[in-house]
Amino acid sequence: MSRERFDAIVVGAGMSGNAAAYTMASRGLKVLQLERGEYPGSKNVQGAILYANMLEGIVPNFRDDAPLERHLVEQRLWIMDDTSHSGMHYRSHDFNEQRANRYTIVRVQFDKWFAGKVREAGGTILCETTATKLARDGSGNVIGVHTDRAGRPILADVVVLAEGVNGVLGTRMGLRDVPKSQNVALAVKEMHFLPEHVIAERFGLTGDQGCVIEALGTISRGVAGLGFLYTNRDSVSLGIGCLVSGLAESMESPHTLLNGFKCHPSIKPLLAGSEVKEYAAHLIPEGGFRAIPELHGEGWVVVGDAAQLNNAVHREGSNLAMTSGQIAGEAICTIKNQGRPMTKDNLSLYKSMLDKSFVMRDLIKHKDVPALLHTNSQSLFSTYPKLISQAAQGFVRVDGSTKIEKEKAAIDAFIKARSRWGLVSDAVRIARAWR
Amino acid sequence: MHIVVCIKQVPDSSQIRVHPVTNTIMRQGVPTIINPYDLFALEEALRLRDRFALEEKRWLRNPSRGKVTVVTMGPPMAAQALRKALTYGADRAVLVTDRRFAGSDTLATSFALACAIAKIGERFGPPDIIFTGKQTIDGDTAQVGPGIAKRLNIQQLTYIKKVTRIDHLRRSVDVERCLEGGTQFIESKMPCLVTMADGLNTIRRGSIEDSLRAARCSILTWGVADLGVREVDKFGLKGSPTVVKRVFAPTPRAQKSVQLETASKTVGHVADELVAWISSHQPKLADMPLSKSGA
Ligand SMILES: Cc1cc2nc3c(=O)[nH]c(=O)nc-3n(C[C@H](O)[C@H](O)[C@H](O)COP(=O)(O)OP(=O)(O)OC[C@H]3O[C@@H](n4cnc5c(N)ncnc54)[C@H](O)[C@@H]3O)c2cc1C
Ligand SMILES: Cc1cc2nc3c(=O)[nH]c(=O)nc-3n(C[C@H](O)[C@H](O)[C@H](O)COP(=O)(O)OP(=O)(O)OC[C@H]3O[C@@H](n4cnc5c(N)ncnc54)[C@H](O)[C@@H]3O)c2cc1C
């Protein structure tokens, strides 16, 4: 009996892996997918917002049966000090469109659904199976993977590494470095269960409408970080993510920060009476463009979080993961159909297709933001939020002092905290990084 | 050699909660697992199969491979449990599912399973051993195994912790059976039904070949019609005389256990002290005709 061989092995059944496996399987390739969790999604911890456009490009009619929680009609950005928040809210009836643009999802269910689509398309998925090593031939080309189950390595023409942010397999095999602590955030998250109608009342929602709050300020104690609250159907996902390097320097524990966020007077009433059922922690790649490792080699490509393809500024990750997986799948199908081998040169098709997509273009645009966040975290995440809160309070509180005095006090406070020169240079740095 | 293992998909009782008002089990969102005793049964079956294969290899040029068939009766989602059993290394899987099986008590369950096992025997050769778990962690009755054995009219060996030997020539099997204060060593003839207690084994991690086979293997699915049985009113709710009259959560015992320090050393006197203590704490009991030891 000759040895079984696959066209492609996909390591990981998260967003990127499922996108890659589905793309290849539905085009007739013989695909094997390995997932270390008990089932797809069992290890995944996204917030989570699903960006419909990218999924639509892969599974056009996903709205028919995907487990979607709510479509988002409102986005709130809150700047917080210890007792207040000032915010910018954007809510639009336009988002009540039939094919909504953003949905909240619960990854455990969503990943199961997505993996089901891979199976329907003819892919084979093995769960509770961890890829432990890449199998290589005499010249070092990747020809398959070893797993933690007894037996010989499984062979394939190409291995798609979709193993998520830790990417232990790739780092162990020397394909890329272990992510640096200033390039990853640690997010801790809780699921708070509340009856559907309570969520609707508290957030002013009807039907399947949903709302997102993202918050920064003193909740992260000067570390670069972001708090978030997403409404699901009958639960609220709530968490806070902070740069690991910042946590290490400040010795703040993520759990304490999350507790502080939950107890903040602006957040607490939103959660009153809820039952917490899950607590989870996960890394998020934040290094941006400059942290992207080599994306392809002899017999392998890397996609999604493992390739650090994450837009921290816009809190987009899953869509970059899906699109990179899809593009890798398409590139592999093209090479296969041309009857060419999966060499590093040929697989550069994936890189060039990715460069043209929104994935790389967005990451290039924001390439300087990550450095800005981690070097200026104290002023961005503590000083300015406090100043903004003070100014806002001065503006609304009526206490007999004149308006001229109040405005002067606000400006003085900014200058005192950051100096004239500091303010100008902060503005320039932010503008430059953003450009 | 052919071994059939009955497995049941049950809610993971470590994650189950009881509804505070209705006292019913809240199954929603609770993950399901294979009944833990059934995993001991499955592993024991796989070991017997593998051991048999080794023996055959030693003596025969064309060794026949033993087969393990897993069977469950349950809703369509019970296929997950079968798929998992295949991943562990079982050779084939049968799902017995039909709306008409719904509401089965242990009588109807064991009837349906006995019919299914008979059919498995027709299709794939008669089983030498049938395994079940000692009991489930949800129904907890421990009646299904013996029910199947009775219907198939074969030996039943209950609370077994190990199958030590199979003699294929004499068609006999040696087992170790748990007793309250010890172990019973039993020899029985085959075919027989074994209900497994906490075994001495732990379920294996299937090989990569096993999991590949499991992922692709199709699961045989049989409904009432496929079993070819006339007495359809013995299935499901109709065939279930058990009636649930009331469901309640027992109140936890209010009183804690106590440890008594006794002055006496001999058994008889210790007992006297104990009786005296009980009488003083339970005046009602003091009226009962308890005589002193030795009297
Ligand atoms: C708290 C939080 C909130 C987030 N919110 C959002 C959001 O709102 N919107 C958004 O777009 N993005 C969000 N993200 C980011 C998003 O979750 C990730 O970008 C996305 O999941 C990346 O997909 P992936 O497939 O690359 O990796 P993952 O989804 O992490 O999947 C990797 C999979 O590979 C498996 N695996 C790993 N190693 C192996 C191995 N050796 N063998 C077999 N299997 C293996 C893992 O078990 C896992 O299932 C959030 C992330 C976090 C942590
Ligand atoms: C008082 C009472 C009321 C009940 N009421 C209902 C009801 O209204 N509706 C309802 O649907 N159920 C009901 N049940 C549950 C149902 O009767 C039992 O779950 C079922 O008959 C199996 O019994 P058991 O779980 O006690 O198995 P046990 O006898 O404890 O199981 C022993 C072994 O038999 C095998 N086995 C048991 N069941 C199966 C199976 N389905 N497939 C394969 N192998 C199996 C397994 O190997 C198991 O380890 C009730 C149970 C009780 C005790």
Side-chain angles (χ1 to χ4, degrees):
Chain A
M1 202 178 72
S2 77
R3 227 147 134 223
E4 174 162 26
R5 198 185 169 89
F6 291 87
D7 290 329
I9 293 175
V10 178
V11 177
M15 287 292 194
S16 62
N18 285 335
Y22 180 82
T23 304
M24 294 188 287
S26 59
R27 285 169 172 73
L29 262 56
K30 187 172 165 191
V31 178
L32 178 70
Q33 197 174 7
L34 305 176
E35 168 54 50
R36 87 193 138 111
E38 197 192 346
Y39 49 86
S42 60
K43 297 268 179 190
N44 295 337
V45 178
Q46 196 183 330
I49 304 176
L50 172 79
Y51 302 97
N53 181 276
M54 288 76 199
L55 181 57
E56 218 166 350
I58 302 167
V59 188
N61 55 351
F62 76 90
R63 291 183 182 84
D64 293 350
D65 51 7
L68 306 170
E69 298 285 317
R70 291 169 180 274
H71 70 271
L72 292 173
V73 295
E74 183 170 335
Q75 180 87 18
R76 305 179 184 174
L77 176 65
W78 285 2
I79 293 167
M80 298 176 114
D81 71 1
D82 290 344
T83 51
S84 14
H85 77 264
S86 20
M88 190 177 79
H89 294 196
Y90 181 71
R91 181 180 176 118
S92 174
H93 181 62
D94 296 346
F95 291 131
N96 291 316
E97 57 214 325
Q98 207 165 41
R99 285 138 49 105
N101 182 257
R102 302 188 306 158
Y103 295 90
T104 47
I105 54 169
V106 174
R107 280 289 296 274
V108 178
Q109 276 134 38
F110 184 84
D111 287 11
K112 260 195 213 164
W113 167 84
F114 207 169
K117 291 280 155 194
V118 175
R119 283 201 188 94
E120 276 173 33
T124 304
I125 306 179
L126 306 187
C127 293
E128 290 179 288
T129 307
T130 305
T132 49
K133 258 167 52 182
L134 294 171
R136 291 187 150 135
D137 67 8
S139 0
N141 305 329
V142 171
I143 53 165
V145 297
H146 294 263
T147 72
D148 62 340
R149 289 182 182 273
R152 292 189 292 175
I154 327 172
L155 303 180
D157 292 348
V158 60
V159 175
V160 178
L161 295 157
E163 45 177 337
V165 53
N166 280 325
V168 178
L169 180 60
T171 52
R172 190 190 291 146
M173 299 308 293
L175 306 184
R176 62 190 111 89
D177 295 332
V178 176
K180 296 192 175 63
S181 64
Q182 71 269 26
N183 285 342
V184 280
L186 177 65
V188 287
K189 191 190 105 177
E190 286 178 354
M191 291 276 274
H192 287 248
F193 281 75
L194 283 168
E196 214 174 315
H197 71 269
V198 174
I199 294 180
E201 278 161 25
R202 281 189 194 165
F203 294 89
L205 306 168
T206 50
D208 285 344
Q209 291 176 344
C211 164
V212 164
I213 300 175
E214 285 171 334
L216 56 87
T218 57
I219 47 167
S220 63
R221 306 267 158 256
V223 178
L226 189 79
F228 58 87
L229 184 159
Y230 301 156
T231 54
N232 303 316
R233 191 172 302 277
D234 58 1
S235 64
V236 166
S237 307
L238 170 107
I240 185 165
C242 294
L243 276 190
V244 171
S245 55
L247 290 171
E249 273 160 33
S250 65
M251 300 296 281
E252 292 287 351
S253 97
H255 185 219
T256 318
L257 296 181
L258 179 60
N259 250 339
F261 183 45
K262 272 190 331 194
C263 297
H264 190 282
S266 298
I267 293 288
K268 204 173 175 185
L270 297 175
L271 301 175
S274 70
E275 190 190 351
V276 185
K277 284 208 192 138
E278 279 174 43
Y279 178 81
H282 205 277
L283 292 178
I284 305 180
E286 305 264 338
F289 181 73
R290 295 188 194 281
I292 297 174
E294 183 130 50
L295 293 173
H296 60 105
E298 301 293 345
W300 62 270
V301 295
V302 56
V303 297
D305 274 9
Q308 308 290 312
L309 301 175
N310 203 301
N311 185 341
V313 180
H314 287 268
R315 287 116 17 250
E316 292 174 23
S318 64
N319 52 336
L320 283 71
M322 283 190 286
T323 300
S324 61
Q326 180 190 14
I327 289 178
E330 286 170 358
I332 289 167
C333 289
T334 306
I335 299 169
K336 171 99 191 156
N337 289 339
Q338 294 167 344
R340 293 189 297 152
M342 299 292 164
T343 58
K344 180 171 184 177
D345 271 357
N346 291 342
L347 287 166
S348 66
L349 178 62
Y350 160 54
K351 171 87 170 42
S352 60
M353 285 165 74
L354 199 65
D355 284 343
K356 287 189 203 111
S357 72
F358 81 93
V359 175
M360 282 301 187
R361 286 165 175 237
D362 284 357
L363 289 174
I364 289 174
K365 174 175 186 296
H366 290 317
K367 63 184 185 304
D368 294 323
V369 177
L372 175 78
L373 293 186
H374 99 255
T375 48
N376 279 36
S377 69
Q378 193 62 35
S379 53
L380 290 177
F381 295 90
S382 180
T383 314
Y384 282 122
K386 280 186 196 153
L387 292 169
I388 290 169
S389 277
Q390 282 164 19
Q393 183 155 140
F395 187 74
V396 292
R397 191 188 280 278
V398 178
D399 57 6
S401 43
T402 66
K403 300 299 177 228
I404 292 177
E405 277 165 4
K406 283 198 163 180
E407 278 164 29
K408 185 166 183 310
I411 293 166
D412 284 352
F414 273 78
I415 292 170
K416 187 165 167 245
R418 290 296 294 158
S419 84
R420 262 174 225 281
W421 175 243
L423 290 172
V424 173
S425 91
D426 285 347
V428 171
R429 287 193 62 176
I430 293 170
R432 217 190 253 157
W434 199 265
R435 198 179 38 166
Chain B
M1 185 168 66
H2 186 196
I3 306 177
V4 172
V5 184
C6 301
I7 63 170
K8 186 183 179 192
Q9 189 178 44
V10 295
D12 187 351
S13 58
S14 60
Q15 300 196 36
I16 251 184
R17 293 176 311 153
V18 176
H19 194 282
V21 181
T22 58
N23 275 335
T24 49
I25 285 175
M26 292 163 49
R27 279 173 191 258
Q28 211 200 359
V30 178
T32 55
I33 54 173
I34 297 176
N35 183 44
Y37 294 107
D38 304 358
L39 290 180
F40 291 122
L42 178 58
E43 177 58 26
E44 202 67 8
L46 295 173
R47 286 185 185 189
L48 291 175
R49 177 198 68 185
D50 296 347
R51 215 191 296 162
F52 175 73
L54 279 181
E55 283 166 21
E56 289 260 290
K57 227 188 216 163
R58 210 177 306 152
W59 306 114
L60 301 174
R61 188 166 298 158
N62 291 317
S64 69
R65 214 167 100 78
K67 292 273 180 252
V68 172
T69 306
V70 281
V71 57
T72 191
M73 181 184 88
M77 75 174 254
Q80 295 165 354
L82 292 173
R83 187 82 59 196
K84 193 132 201 188
L86 291 168
T87 311
Y88 289 130
D91 298 282
R92 63 173 88 86
V94 178
L95 172 65
V96 183
T97 188
D98 198 309
R99 279 173 176 249
R100 281 177 284 176
F101 293 130
S104 296
D105 67 2
T106 56
L107 197 70
T109 302
S110 54
F111 179 67
L113 286 171
C115 296
I117 292 167
K119 168 123 196 217
I120 288 170
E122 281 168 30
R123 280 263 317 250
F124 305 109
D128 303 290
I129 306 183
I130 297 160
F131 277 100
T132 71
K134 157 175 89 106
Q135 69 191 66
T136 59
I137 56 168
D138 63 340
D140 262 326
T141 66
Q143 292 173 0
V144 171
I148 297 171
K150 186 72 197 149
R151 287 209 163 78
L152 296 175
N153 203 16
I154 56 176
Q155 298 289 325
Q156 51 171 295
L157 306 167
T158 53
Y159 302 103
I160 303 306
K161 61 180 181 197
K162 192 169 191 257
V163 177
T164 38
R165 198 174 67 100
I166 290 183
D167 188 330
H168 288 281
L169 286 177
R170 291 178 50 228
R171 305 231 4 103
S172 72
V173 47
D174 293 354
V175 296
E176 292 180 17
R177 179 168 192 261
C178 308
L179 286 186
E180 214 152 287
T183 303
Q184 220 171 21
F185 297 86
I186 303 179
E187 182 184 323
S188 163
K189 50 178 198 201
M190 289 201 297
C192 61
L193 181 137
V194 171
T195 84
M196 280 294 283
D198 312 64
L200 300 171
N201 62 44
T202 29
I203 190 72
R204 65 190 56 192
R205 206 169 144 60
S207 69
I208 194 77
E209 283 79 20
D210 287 326
S211 43
L212 268 172
R213 192 170 43 77
R216 294 158 168 177
C217 159
S218 62
I219 288 171
L220 285 170
T221 306
W222 293 344
V224 166
D226 301 298
L227 295 184
V229 181
R230 285 237 201 89
E231 309 135 289
V232 286
D233 49 357
K234 284 199 181 172
F235 290 127
L237 204 55
K238 270 194 193 154
S240 299
T242 313
V243 181
V244 180
K245 289 182 75 172
R246 190 162 71 91
V247 182
F248 66 96
T251 41
R253 279 171 211 210
Q255 275 166 11
K256 292 229 175 80
S257 64
V258 266
Q259 273 197 351
L260 293 182
E261 195 88 44
T262 56
S264 356
K265 289 281 174 272
T266 60
V267 177
H269 290 109
V270 170
D272 287 342
E273 275 190 52
L274 182 62
V275 170
W277 188 89
I278 293 173
S279 315
S280 65
H281 284 77
Q282 301 279 339
K284 273 194 205 149
L285 285 179
D287 301 335
M288 289 171 64
L290 276 174
S291 57
K292 286 210 157 194
S293 67

